[in-house]
Amino acid sequence: MDLPKITPVVQFVTAAFALLVGGYTAGDKFGLFQFNAILEWSPENFKISPANIGQPVTVTVARIKKRDDCSVEGFTPTVRDAAGVIHEGFPSMSKFTGPAGDNVDTFTYQLKISDKEPIAPGKATLLATIKYKCPEGERTVTYPRHANLNFDLTK
């Protein structure tokens, strides 16, 4: 077998493999593949009650849990106030559980907003990051962007 004739074939196979693996890795990192999604949000079923500054906010979250093989390792809620300042949130629960299924699952918790910085009254937005430990590694999920995650804070 002549070595120069096989070199382009090896180069092609190597490049195709690198493209396939790299494309999959990038797609998974940017969430293009949803076949292994941990959950699906149901933002139209989120409810956040208006609250007075300094008082807890009542938050109802809605999701469809897709997998049972991931555990919640961290839950970090924050609130962006009307001035755009991000405030740490302290939920009344630190982890939430429930079986995977096809139905929308809702749960409610109280959220105390940190007052280390002054909180601007007006339209606020609830943000949250949830860290999961899954068989394929750590995964991070955030609350969706939706009008139902906005609420009023008053003095």
Side-chain angles (χ1 to χ4, degrees):
M1 183 173 239
D2 193 9
L3 190 58
K5 289 183 180 177
I6 196 163
T7 301
V9 173
V10 171
Q11 289 173 335
F12 174 77
V13 170
T14 303
F17 181 74
L19 182 64
L20 180 68
V21 171
Y24 175 81
T25 302
D28 186 47
K29 177 156 183 76
F30 294 111
L32 299 178
F33 306 121
Q34 295 299 317
F35 59 86
N36 64 351
I38 298 167
L39 57 83
E40 177 183 322
W41 294 116
S42 181
E44 61 277 3
N45 293 308
F46 274 57
K47 291 182 186 133
I48 305 174
S49 300
N52 292 324
I53 293 172
Q55 298 298 313
V57 179
T58 302
V59 177
T60 299
V61 176
R63 52 119 198 240
I64 300 171
K65 187 174 177 186
K66 299 287 191 179
R67 297 172 57 179
D68 275 331
D69 61 343
C70 299
S71 62
V72 176
E73 298 297 311
F75 175 56
T76 309
T78 56
V79 172
R80 183 176 50 231
D81 70 15
V85 176
I86 303 294
H87 302 275
E88 187 176 9
F90 302 99
S92 58
M93 47 51 111
S94 59
K95 293 186 180 180
F96 37 90
T97 61
D102 295 328
N103 298 325
V104 174
D105 183 26
T106 60
F107 53 92
T108 301
Y109 63 91
Q110 297 286 310
L111 183 69
K112 172 80 172 99
I113 303 171
S114 171
D115 56 3
K116 288 180 186 176
E117 301 291 328
I119 300 172
K123 188 69 71 182
T125 302
L126 178 63
L127 310 165
T129 301
I130 307 165
K131 291 193 186 279
Y132 288 93
K133 183 177 180 183
C134 297
E136 67 272 16
E138 186 177 282
R139 303 281 304 270
T140 301
V141 177
T142 59
Y143 275 4
R145 288 181 184 246
H146 192 274
N148 285 359
L149 278 87
N150 297 326
F151 62 100
D152 288 318
L153 285 174
T154 56
K155 287 189 174 190

